[in-house]
Amino acid sequence: MATSARDIFVVGLRNAHSMEVQARELLERQSERLDDYPQVKAKVRAHLEETNGQLKRLEQCLESCGETTSSLKDTAQSIMGNTAAMLNAMAGDEILKNTFANNAFEHFEIAAYKSLLELCGAAGMESARAPLQASLQEEQEMAAWIDANVGNVTREYVAHEARAA
């Protein structure tokens, strides 16, 4: 059965919404445990606010298609986000594991938004281009910040461990 570009676009929007639900859960759990890393905590909280905006933009895109989010996908991704954060919290090097995971997740989000942007024209949804581009830009900025700060976070972790010893 052939699937139209619009159908693929709608599925992509639902998947992106679920992806952002997972991101929100990860960021919320991580921000609760970053008191020893105030710069990272501030950036995670700022990106959490961006993520909430991204969720709203995706909901608006879905509404403009006459569609809604997928409660099943959102719930599954919420559970996955909380589970991943909980597993990393049990590790002694939680900050490093979260930094690496966040780096990978940001690039996953970037690819998802690039795919949706590619579909806008074929799906007849040019009106979604600007909100999706805004979300892509936020994800690219967060990915760049993480990339630029892996070394700093690693050094801060080593210093923190030395103080605790």
Side-chain angles (χ1 to χ4, degrees), residues 84-142:
M86 182 180 66
L87 290 173
N88 283 351
M90 296 185 323
D93 60 348
E94 174 185 10
I95 186 67
L96 296 179
K97 284 184 173 52
N98 284 341
T99 299
F100 306 155
N102 290 349
N103 189 41
F105 200 82
E106 291 305 321
H107 287 281
F108 182 86
E109 291 173 304
I110 288 166
Y113 283 114
K114 284 181 176 180
S115 179
L116 285 168
L117 284 162
E118 188 63 33
L119 285 165
C120 283
M125 291 302 302
E126 284 298 328
S127 62
R129 189 171 299 281
L132 294 172
Q133 186 63 48
S135 294
L136 173 61
Q137 181 67 37
E138 291 167 351
E139 300 301 358
Q140 289 171 325
E141 289 170 5
M142 185 62 174

Side-chain angles (χ1 to χ4, degrees), residues 34-141:
L34 287 169
D35 291 338
D36 292 334
Y37 304 91
Q39 183 184 15
V40 176
K41 184 173 188 164
K43 188 63 177 177
V44 165
R45 285 197 170 167
H47 194 55
L48 175 58
E49 291 303 313
E50 290 174 340
T51 299
N52 287 327
Q54 292 163 5
L55 282 163
K56 288 178 185 161
R57 288 193 288 266
L58 287 163
E59 289 161 8
Q60 291 167 349
C61 289
L62 281 162
E63 286 173 19
S64 70
C65 292
E67 302 287 343
T68 61
T69 62
S70 169
S71 297
L72 180 61
K73 285 181 183 182
D74 287 354
T75 300
Q77 292 294 80
S78 176
I79 291 167
M80 286 177 56
N82 279 306
T83 301
M86 182 180 66
L87 290 173
N88 283 351
M90 296 185 323
D93 60 348
E94 174 185 10
I95 186 67
L96 296 179
K97 284 184 173 52
N98 284 341
T99 299
F100 306 155
N102 290 349
N103 189 41
F105 200 82
E106 291 305 321
H107 287 281
F108 182 86
E109 291 173 304
I110 288 166
Y113 283 114
K114 284 181 176 180
S115 179
L116 285 168
L117 284 162
E118 188 63 33
L119 285 165
C120 283
M125 291 302 302
E126 284 298 328
S127 62
R129 189 171 299 281
L132 294 172
Q133 186 63 48
S135 294
L136 173 61
Q137 181 67 37
E138 291 167 351
E139 300 301 358
Q140 289 171 325
E141 289 170 5

